[in-house]
Amino acid sequence: MTRRYWNINLEEMMEARVHFGHDTRKWNPRMAPYISAKWKGIHIINLTRTARFLSEACDLVFDAANRGNQFLIVGTKKKAADSVARAAIRARCHYVNKKWLGGMLTNWSTTERRLQKFRNLRMEQKTGRLARLPKRDAAMLKRQLSHLQTYLGGIKYMTGLPDIVIIVDQQEEYKALRECITLGIPTICLSDTNCDPDLADISIPANDDSIASIRLILTKLVFAICEGRLCEKSLSHNKIKNGLRKLDNRIGYYSRISKNI
C-alpha cells in the first residue's frame, strides 16, 4: 500500500473537537495508547495518532476504490445521519443511516429479497401501477415502500456484500461490526475513548459525538475514495485507448498485406 499525502491538519482537527474523548469514568483501557491527557474529567485523544491512522485509512480506501471495490458507510445516530448520507452520495457509496437491521449482511439472501421487493415497488410507483389499485391495497403498498425506503434506501443499488465497511460509532453500530467480523469484511471505525480499537481493522481514535468531528473524518475518507475512483477511470480510459491503437495497427497491417497480394 503506497503512502500518500492527504492534507490532515492538526489545527483543523482541534477546531472540529476531534480530540475530546468521553468521561474518564467511561473508558476502555485498550484505548490508553491513544489518550494523551485528562482535562476536566474527560480524556484527551492524541491527535498525532489520529492523523496517522486516518492517513492509513485514506490510503486503504484509495487503493480499494482504484480497484473498483464497493464501500458501505454505517452511522445511525441522529446527529450523524445527514453527514453519513451526504458523504456516501458524494462518493457513490452505499450507506445505512437510520437503523441497522439484524442480519443485514450475515443473512444477505433475506436482505436481497427485501431489496428486490423494494425495487419492484419503486418501479410500480414510477409506472403509475400503484395509483390504479384499490385505495386500501395502494395505501398498504405505499406504507411498505416508505418503510423499505427508510431502512434500505441507502443500499438499494447494492448487489452483493461490500468490500469495506466504514463505521462512524463503534459502540452504536456494534451489531454491524460483529457481522463484518463474522464475514471477514475489513472495517474502518471511528473509535472514541470508550471503544475497543482491536475490533476494527483500522481504528481512527476520534470524538464520535461531535458532528464537526464526524464530518471531518468522513470528508477525508470520501475525498480519498473519490480520488481512487478518478484514477480507476483514467486507467480504464488509457486501456481502451491502447486497445484501439493496437486494433488500428492490426487493421493497417492487414490492409498493407492485402494490397501486396
Side-chain angles (χ1 to χ4, degrees), residues 21-249:
H22 277 278
D23 194 296
T24 52
R25 292 170 296 177
K26 299 176 182 178
W27 76 300
N28 191 318
R30 290 184 180 176
M31 283 296 292
Y34 309 100
I35 295 170
S36 61
K38 295 178 184 179
W39 180 75
K40 291 186 179 181
I42 63 169
H43 280 123
I44 302 299
I45 295 167
N46 186 339
L47 290 181
T48 307
R49 304 298 296 274
T50 302
R52 175 193 158 191
F53 287 106
L54 179 55
S55 180
E56 284 184 12
C58 288
D59 287 336
L60 176 67
V61 297
F62 176 89
D63 291 335
N66 199 8
R67 293 192 299 270
N69 290 163
Q70 294 300 309
F71 301 88
L72 173 65
I73 304 176
V74 183
T76 60
K77 60 165 65 174
K78 283 186 179 179
K79 62 175 69 178
D82 290 339
S83 298
V84 166
R86 278 197 296 267
I89 291 166
R90 182 186 161 200
R92 292 182 289 117
C93 299
H94 311 294
Y95 67 95
V96 176
N97 70 335
K98 293 297 180 185
K99 181 184 177 183
W100 183 266
L101 303 175
M104 192 175 278
L105 297 181
T106 49
N107 197 3
W108 176 247
S109 57
T110 301
T111 304
E112 214 166 17
R113 284 198 297 272
R114 286 175 179 169
L115 286 171
Q116 189 57 52
K117 184 178 182 180
F118 178 37
R119 293 183 194 114
N120 292 341
L121 285 173
R122 286 181 76 231
M123 185 58 66
E124 287 180 7
Q125 187 183 46
K126 283 180 181 178
T127 55
R129 189 180 170 189
L130 288 183
R132 294 194 295 269
L133 292 172
K135 285 186 178 180
R136 187 176 175 180
D137 295 340
M140 183 183 69
L141 290 175
K142 282 178 181 177
R143 280 197 299 272
Q144 285 184 19
L145 180 60
S146 176
H147 178 82
L148 291 168
Q149 176 63 42
T150 301
Y151 298 112
L152 301 179
I155 61 167
K156 58 179 173 282
Y157 300 117
M158 199 157 84
T159 55
L161 293 174
D163 299 295
I164 293 178
V165 177
I166 298 168
I167 295 174
V168 167
D169 185 337
Q170 191 192 97
Q171 291 284 85
E172 191 81 16
E173 317 304 340
Y174 187 71
K175 287 181 183 177
L177 179 59
R178 291 306 311 177
E179 289 191 31
C180 292
I181 292 169
T182 301
L183 295 169
I185 299 171
T187 53
I188 297 168
C189 281
L190 268 74
S191 300
D192 212 324
T193 53
N194 63 338
C195 298
D196 183 352
D198 298 335
L199 292 178
D201 292 275
I202 295 181
S203 285
I204 303 169
N207 182 356
D208 59 16
D209 292 321
S210 164
I211 298 174
S213 172
I214 292 167
R215 194 176 292 137
L216 176 65
I217 301 296
L218 286 177
T219 299
K220 298 296 182 186
L221 293 172
V222 161
F223 177 75
I225 292 170
C226 292
E227 288 294 301
R229 292 204 198 283
L230 283 173
C231 285
E232 181 200 10
K233 280 185 180 178
S234 63
L235 284 171
S236 60
H237 181 66
N238 288 337
K239 283 181 182 177
I240 291 168
K241 282 178 71 178
N242 290 335
L244 290 172
R245 195 177 294 117
K246 286 179 181 178
L247 184 62
D248 288 340
N249 292 337

